[in-house]
Amino acid sequence: MENYQMMMFNTQPSPTPPYYNYDHYPQNLLPFSTTTTYDNNNNNTTTNNIGSLHEFLLSSNSNDEKIISSQGGGLIKRRPEEGEEEEQGGMVKKMKKKVRREKYAFQTRSQVDILDDGYRWRKYGQKSVKNNKFPRSYYRCTHQGCSVKKQIQRLSKDEGVVVTTYEGIHTHPIQKSNDNFEHILSQMQIYSGC
DNA sequence: CGGTTTTGACCAGCGC
DNA sequence: GCGCTGGTCAAAACCG
């Protein structure tokens, strides 16, 4: 499993890049075995054995935004769900009305920025970001009625790392026919030389 | 020709 | 109030 995990996060440019859509993984085979939790100051707080992303999402009940770095380079950032905001003076009403959805970020070591997750995306913006020489790209899912967004940004301090942030949940099946677990496995075997 | 990308403008939130 | 920053819009350009 450890080899698979590394393959999932270390992609190479290819006509048929590895697929790693977590929503469609068998939940017990997600590439998360060990996670390290950091607080807002990036201090290491805990290290846990977590069998899968699914388990992590179920077990995570803190209202704080978290950054989770998994063995192999995965990273998850969780934000409070709608209605979880702390009340802060005059901001309460606005915060309550504002729809905030779950946001998860995956940190991937890759030479390519666009990592194929099986869904079709349309780019709607690009911005330069403070303290980062690489721009951040904004994408929306092209499926009708699906409002999932993602952001892609390469780290300035580690140019080999791409951070993909997903916001929202897809309301439809995956849009590419060859995105199944057998395909993922065969891709990993090709790259790992098995 | 339809879908996607590019890119400058615009807007909202936040700190000072 | 003002400036900075992040996020979105939308028209034009691009591409298969």
Side-chain angles (χ1 to χ4, degrees):
Chain A
M1 195 60 208
E2 197 161 320
N3 284 342
Y4 288 172
Q5 183 174 303
M6 293 304 291
M7 288 306 301
M8 300 309 292
F9 289 97
N10 290 276
T11 60
Q12 301 294 328
S14 164
T16 54
Y19 294 83
Y20 53 96
N21 186 291
Y22 300 108
D23 290 341
H24 292 76
Y25 256 87
Q27 295 297 352
N28 60 339
L29 291 175
L30 279 162
F32 288 81
S33 58
T34 312
T35 64
T36 305
T37 305
Y38 299 87
D39 63 18
N40 291 333
N41 298 318
N42 265 356
N43 296 318
N44 181 339
T45 56
T46 59
T47 299
N48 298 309
N49 291 319
I50 294 178
S52 69
L53 173 60
H54 185 63
E55 284 180 35
F56 161 71
L57 295 179
L58 288 177
S59 65
S60 180
N61 56 8
S62 167
N63 287 347
D64 297 331
E65 180 171 299
K66 283 182 175 179
I67 296 174
I68 307 294
S69 173
S70 83
Q71 190 179 36
L75 178 146
I76 303 168
K77 182 181 277 187
R78 180 183 186 274
R79 284 189 173 167
E81 293 181 40
E82 185 180 2
E84 285 184 339
E85 289 89 359
E86 288 182 14
E87 300 192 355
Q88 294 174 356
M91 294 300 293
V92 174
K93 278 189 176 178
K94 260 192 173 177
M95 294 292 285
K96 290 287 183 187
K97 280 186 176 179
K98 190 176 178 183
V99 176
R100 290 179 63 180
R101 298 180 295 180
E102 289 274 325
K103 229 174 181 181
Y104 301 104
F106 295 89
Q107 181 174 294
T108 309
R109 186 164 291 282
S110 171
Q111 292 178 344
V112 292
D113 291 342
I114 310 297
L115 301 168
D116 197 334
D117 53 14
Y119 292 96
R120 294 187 59 204
W121 301 93
R122 177 179 182 175
K123 189 174 184 176
Y124 67 90
Q126 177 173 301
K127 288 286 289 187
S128 58
V129 182
K130 191 184 175 186
N131 298 327
N132 197 322
K133 61 180 177 183
F134 300 105
R136 177 182 298 157
S137 296
Y138 299 89
Y139 294 85
R140 245 194 282 268
C141 182
T142 60
H143 192 274
Q144 195 171 18
C146 182
S147 58
V148 176
K149 298 174 195 170
K150 73 173 179 181
Q151 303 175 8
I152 295 178
Q153 181 169 23
R154 190 171 286 278
L155 291 184
S156 189
K157 57 183 177 183
D158 186 351
E159 301 187 5
V161 173
V162 176
V163 177
T164 305
T165 305
Y166 292 90
E167 182 179 341
I169 299 170
H170 292 282
T171 60
H172 56 92
I174 204 156
Q175 290 171 283
K176 290 191 177 178
S177 59
N178 61 347
D179 188 288
N180 53 49
F181 192 67
E182 287 72 23
H183 178 74
I184 296 167
L185 264 182
S186 66
Q187 286 292 327
M188 290 192 290
Q189 286 164 357
I190 289 169
Y191 283 100
S192 62
C194 298

